[in-house]
Amino acid sequence: MSAIIPPYLKKGDTIALVAPARHVTPEQMQPAVEYVESRGFRMLVHPDVYRIHHQFGGTEQERADLFNRMLAAPEVKAIWCARGAYGTARMIDLVNFDLLKKQPKWIAGFSDESVLLNHVYRLNMASLHSTMPVFMNQKEGNDLKDVRLAIDSFLSALSGRFMPFDLSANESYNVADFEGDIIGGNLSVLCSISGSVSETDWNGKILFLEDLDEYLYHIDRMILTLKRAGKLKGLKALLVGSFIQMHDHQIPFGYNVREIILQHCLEYGYPIIFDVNAGHHLQNMTIPFGVPSKFKNGLLTFANP
């Protein structure tokens, strides 16, 4: 069954900001808000976005209440998460997803927001694995250019114009054409929601993985956990985004991320493609989850309306 595709946006439509995880400040958000509005969209930034409770953007109830208000607001066509870090899993069970079913709208973000994206996919609705506003904070030069490109890909996807990924020169294994839904996100977060109501079935799906700031043996343990749970066997393909700021001990683990993934997944025979331009780097290009995709002749494309 194909996922529900929320209505695409047009210029003048409203994108609401929420903070399901770590708290943010107006100074951190303002550059991205101004940039999006310069592109012709309206940003709805409710004052509750800036609530603070310990490291979070308010208590669990406060974060969920804001999210629910944005789901219920008829003028809001998309909900964009301000940043990741940690905290979304603490509030997600307080979100009224019946509101999303009544009025489908795009949910966008990545990293810790992989909880939301997978939960939404389990509800049979598409979403966007995209950059977030915090990444434009205090950027300049080439860094700013990269973040703007990432935001442009997000806004383009919201409008129904998905930017393709040219993977023809990427390091790849078991190369073959494939098509289907992409799902996944941050490896650590995906492991943390395993067995929960937010977990999705990856069988017959294209899995995308990325991560940040982990020890190499942690990566091995998580991939092995997913393998032993049977979640990696029935994939159509595996897309590997950025795995950056990896750590090792004084006595090296002995394998890098590529080697770990190949050790555990190559035997299954499906295509594995590395260096997909998405994840914890500034040029984090948008991947639609639940929108039919196709890989052919090195190009990954998505069904446009």
Side-chain angles (χ1 to χ4, degrees), residues 1-5 119-126 181:
M1 182 169 58
S2 299
I4 296 168
I5 308 296
H119 195 99
V120 166
Y121 186 77
R122 182 163 179 159
L123 298 175
N124 194 39
M125 193 167 298
D181 286 358

mmCIF file of all heavy atoms in Angstrom, residues 1-5 119-126 181:
data_model
loop_
_atom_site.group_PDB
_atom_site.id
_atom_site.type_symbol
_atom_site.label_atom_id
_atom_site.label_comp_id
_atom_site.label_asym_id
_atom_site.label_seq_id
_atom_site.Cartn_x
_atom_site.Cartn_y
_atom_site.Cartn_z
ATOM 1 N N MET A 1 0.843 -1.195 0.000
ATOM 2 C CA MET A 1 0.000 0.000 0.000
ATOM 3 C C MET A 1 0.878 1.244 0.000
ATOM 4 O O MET A 1 1.788 1.384 0.811
ATOM 5 C CB MET A 1 -0.910 0.002 1.233
ATOM 6 C CG MET A 1 -1.862 1.180 1.302
ATOM 7 S SD MET A 1 -3.116 0.973 2.594
ATOM 8 C CE MET A 1 -2.082 0.792 4.045
ATOM 9 N N SER A 2 0.616 2.150 -0.933
ATOM 10 C CA SER A 2 1.409 3.365 -1.039
ATOM 11 C C SER A 2 1.105 4.304 0.118
ATOM 12 O O SER A 2 -0.025 4.390 0.607
ATOM 13 C CB SER A 2 1.104 4.072 -2.363
ATOM 14 O OG SER A 2 1.439 3.250 -3.464
ATOM 15 N N ALA A 3 2.141 5.016 0.561
ATOM 16 C CA ALA A 3 1.968 5.969 1.648
ATOM 17 C C ALA A 3 1.150 7.168 1.184
ATOM 18 O O ALA A 3 1.153 7.535 0.012
ATOM 19 C CB ALA A 3 3.332 6.426 2.160
ATOM 20 N N ILE A 4 0.440 7.774 2.130
ATOM 21 C CA ILE A 4 -0.290 9.004 1.849
ATOM 22 C C ILE A 4 0.713 10.129 1.632
ATOM 23 O O ILE A 4 1.628 10.317 2.438
ATOM 24 C CB ILE A 4 -1.229 9.349 3.020
ATOM 25 C CG1 ILE A 4 -2.298 8.270 3.180
ATOM 26 C CG2 ILE A 4 -1.871 10.720 2.813
ATOM 27 C CD1 ILE A 4 -3.080 8.381 4.465
ATOM 28 N N ILE A 5 0.574 10.851 0.541
ATOM 29 C CA ILE A 5 1.437 11.996 0.248
ATOM 30 C C ILE A 5 0.703 13.263 0.679
ATOM 31 O O ILE A 5 -0.340 13.591 0.109
ATOM 32 C CB ILE A 5 1.787 12.077 -1.252
ATOM 33 C CG1 ILE A 5 2.343 10.733 -1.760
ATOM 34 C CG2 ILE A 5 2.773 13.215 -1.494
ATOM 35 C CD1 ILE A 5 3.641 10.307 -1.138
ATOM 36 N N HIS A 119 7.731 6.957 12.885
ATOM 37 C CA HIS A 119 6.381 6.843 13.440
ATOM 38 C C HIS A 119 5.344 7.252 12.392
ATOM 39 O O HIS A 119 4.319 6.579 12.220
ATOM 40 C CB HIS A 119 6.256 7.729 14.688
ATOM 41 C CG HIS A 119 5.058 7.416 15.518
ATOM 42 N ND1 HIS A 119 5.111 6.638 16.641
ATOM 43 C CD2 HIS A 119 3.759 7.778 15.386
ATOM 44 C CE1 HIS A 119 3.906 6.523 17.184
ATOM 45 N NE2 HIS A 119 3.064 7.222 16.427
ATOM 46 N N VAL A 120 5.617 8.341 11.702
ATOM 47 C CA VAL A 120 4.702 8.824 10.664
ATOM 48 C C VAL A 120 4.603 7.811 9.527
ATOM 49 O O VAL A 120 3.511 7.560 8.988
ATOM 50 C CB VAL A 120 5.170 10.202 10.145
ATOM 51 C CG1 VAL A 120 4.461 10.580 8.855
ATOM 52 C CG2 VAL A 120 4.938 11.272 11.206
ATOM 53 N N TYR A 121 5.735 7.201 9.154
ATOM 54 C CA TYR A 121 5.698 6.205 8.087
ATOM 55 C C TYR A 121 4.878 4.991 8.506
ATOM 56 O O TYR A 121 4.159 4.399 7.697
ATOM 57 C CB TYR A 121 7.108 5.774 7.705
ATOM 58 C CG TYR A 121 7.132 4.844 6.504
ATOM 59 C CD1 TYR A 121 6.960 5.340 5.218
ATOM 60 C CD2 TYR A 121 7.314 3.473 6.667
ATOM 61 C CE1 TYR A 121 6.966 4.496 4.116
ATOM 62 C CE2 TYR A 121 7.319 2.627 5.571
ATOM 63 C CZ TYR A 121 7.140 3.139 4.300
ATOM 64 O OH TYR A 121 7.133 2.300 3.211
ATOM 65 N N ARG A 122 4.969 4.637 9.776
ATOM 66 C CA ARG A 122 4.165 3.516 10.262
ATOM 67 C C ARG A 122 2.673 3.838 10.164
ATOM 68 O O ARG A 122 1.842 2.933 10.036
ATOM 69 C CB ARG A 122 4.548 3.191 11.704
ATOM 70 C CG ARG A 122 3.784 2.004 12.268
ATOM 71 C CD ARG A 122 4.440 1.444 13.497
ATOM 72 N NE ARG A 122 3.668 0.327 14.034
ATOM 73 C CZ ARG A 122 4.157 -0.609 14.833
ATOM 74 N NH1 ARG A 122 5.416 -0.566 15.187
ATOM 75 N NH2 ARG A 122 3.403 -1.570 15.292
ATOM 76 N N LEU A 123 2.346 5.124 10.222
ATOM 77 C CA LEU A 123 0.961 5.556 10.036
ATOM 78 C C LEU A 123 0.605 5.687 8.558
ATOM 79 O O LEU A 123 -0.440 6.227 8.213
ATOM 80 C CB LEU A 123 0.737 6.898 10.738
ATOM 81 C CG LEU A 123 0.936 6.907 12.255
ATOM 82 C CD1 LEU A 123 0.793 8.320 12.797
ATOM 83 C CD2 LEU A 123 -0.034 5.955 12.942
ATOM 84 N N ASN A 124 1.519 5.220 7.690
ATOM 85 C CA ASN A 124 1.305 5.198 6.238
ATOM 86 C C ASN A 124 1.284 6.593 5.640
ATOM 87 O O ASN A 124 0.470 6.899 4.769
ATOM 88 C CB ASN A 124 0.013 4.451 5.883
ATOM 89 C CG ASN A 124 -0.072 4.113 4.411
ATOM 90 O OD1 ASN A 124 0.913 3.748 3.788
ATOM 91 N ND2 ASN A 124 -1.256 4.255 3.836
ATOM 92 N N MET A 125 2.199 7.465 6.131
ATOM 93 C CA MET A 125 2.274 8.810 5.581
ATOM 94 C C MET A 125 3.717 9.165 5.258
ATOM 95 O O MET A 125 4.636 8.816 6.006
ATOM 96 C CB MET A 125 1.688 9.828 6.562
ATOM 97 C CG MET A 125 1.458 11.193 5.928
ATOM 98 S SD MET A 125 0.427 12.260 6.947
ATOM 99 C CE MET A 125 -1.092 11.328 6.987
ATOM 100 N N ALA A 126 3.913 9.865 4.154
ATOM 101 C CA ALA A 126 5.248 10.291 3.738
ATOM 102 C C ALA A 126 5.738 11.445 4.601
ATOM 103 O O ALA A 126 4.950 12.181 5.208
ATOM 104 C CB ALA A 126 5.232 10.699 2.272
ATOM 105 N N ASP A 181 10.045 2.415 -1.523
ATOM 106 C CA ASP A 181 10.061 3.441 -0.485
ATOM 107 C C ASP A 181 11.389 3.448 0.248
ATOM 108 O O ASP A 181 11.948 2.387 0.557
ATOM 109 C CB ASP A 181 8.956 3.192 0.543
ATOM 110 C CG ASP A 181 7.572 3.530 0.018
ATOM 111 O OD1 ASP A 181 7.473 3.994 -1.142
ATOM 112 O OD2 ASP A 181 6.595 3.326 0.761
#
